[in-house]
Structures are given as structure tokens and as C-alpha cells.
């Protein structure tokens, strides 16, 4: 089964990943990719560089970022290969733990519908 783990961050915190975090994350990503548990992962560029499209009443509205009303935004994602939801949660915990105690982040884990 595949799961999407969406990493929510407070973009306005101004917090940047340290060199140590990037190195530790690189090791974790390599390990999880080699084991087959990690299918794909990436960080996302700031909302200031993004756009939102909304369909309402048959009309599409496009809004340029940044999106000031959003406190927490999706800062990255990981697509995981896991035997169960419980295993996907354990894999996501590894991503969270590598950040140490300096970060306040949240992940939402949802199974992908593969039809």
C-alpha cells in the first residue's frame, strides 16, 4: 500500500534547516529509499512562489501567493510504501524525529487510492 505523508510547517517562523538536519535527513532518505519504504520525497518552495486555483460556480479563480491567511502550509511530502497504516505512521515518525526538538511540525498521513 502507498501512503502520502504531508509535512505541515509554519512558513512564517523563518526557521531554516541546519546543515546537520540536512545531512541527517539525507541519510534517512537514502536508507528508506534503499529499503523500498520511501518511493519519493521533496520539500516545497515557499507559498510566495505558488498559486492557488479555485473552481466555484463553474468559474476558475487564480490567486498568486503568498497566502497570508494560512498559518500552516504543506512544506513537503513523502510517498511511502508500507504494509499497513501503522507501518506508514512509524515511517513518518522517523521523519519527525530527525528534526530534533527545535522544530514544530506536523504530518498528515493518508493512504493513496490506487484504482
Amino acid at each position: 500500500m502507498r501512503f502520502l505523508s504531508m509535512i505541515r510547517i509554519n512558513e512564517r517562523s523563518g526557521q531554516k534547516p541546519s546543515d546537520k538536519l540536512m545531512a541527517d535527513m539525507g541519510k534517512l532518505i537514502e536508507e528508506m529509499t534503499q529499503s523500498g519504504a520511501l518511493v519519493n520525497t521533496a520539500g516545497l518552495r515557499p507559498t510566495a512562489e505558488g498559486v492557488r486555483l479555485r473552481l466555484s460556480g463553474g468559474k476558475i479563480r487564480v490567486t498568486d501567493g503568498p497566502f497570508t491567511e494560512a498559518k500552516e502550509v504543506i512544506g513537503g511530502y513523502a510517498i511511502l510504501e508500507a504494509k499497513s497504516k501503522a507501518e506508514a505512521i512509524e515511517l513518518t515518525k522517523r521523519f519527525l524525529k530527525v528534526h530534533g526538538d527545535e522544530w514544530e511540525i506536523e504530518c498528515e498521513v493518508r493512504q493513496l487510492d490506487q484504482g
Side-chain angles (χ1 to χ4, degrees):
M1 293 183 276
R2 288 203 173 165
F3 293 84
L4 177 63
S5 178
M6 295 169 280
I7 298 95
R8 295 184 190 278
I9 62 167
N10 180 346
E11 189 176 56
R12 291 184 248 163
S13 74
Q15 195 168 23
K16 302 283 183 207
S18 67
D19 291 340
K20 180 183 180 338
L21 173 57
M22 293 304 290
D24 292 347
M25 186 64 73
K27 288 177 193 170
L28 179 62
I29 288 170
E30 183 177 338
E31 175 194 328
M32 289 177 68
T33 300
Q34 299 239 341
S35 75
L38 179 63
V39 177
N40 193 344
T41 188
L44 298 177
R45 301 290 303 161
T47 61
E49 298 175 25
V51 297
R52 283 190 180 159
L53 290 85
R54 179 179 304 266
L55 173 66
S56 178
K59 295 182 181 173
I60 297 175
R61 184 177 66 199
V62 178
T63 306
D64 291 327
F67 311 115
T68 55
E69 73 282 0
K71 181 178 177 191
E72 290 185 340
V73 298
I74 303 295
Y77 71 92
I79 298 176
L80 307 169
E81 183 71 43
K83 293 181 179 113
S84 65
K85 183 174 165 182
E87 183 181 346
I89 291 168
E90 289 305 312
L91 292 168
T92 298
K93 284 180 181 180
R94 294 187 67 195
F95 274 101
L96 290 172
K97 287 178 183 173
V98 83
H99 286 82
D101 57 6
E102 300 124 29
W103 287 78
E104 290 245 355
I105 55 178
E106 175 180 272
C107 288
E108 179 179 340
V109 178
R110 294 173 57 188
Q111 187 173 350
L112 295 174
D113 236 353
Q114 297 180 14

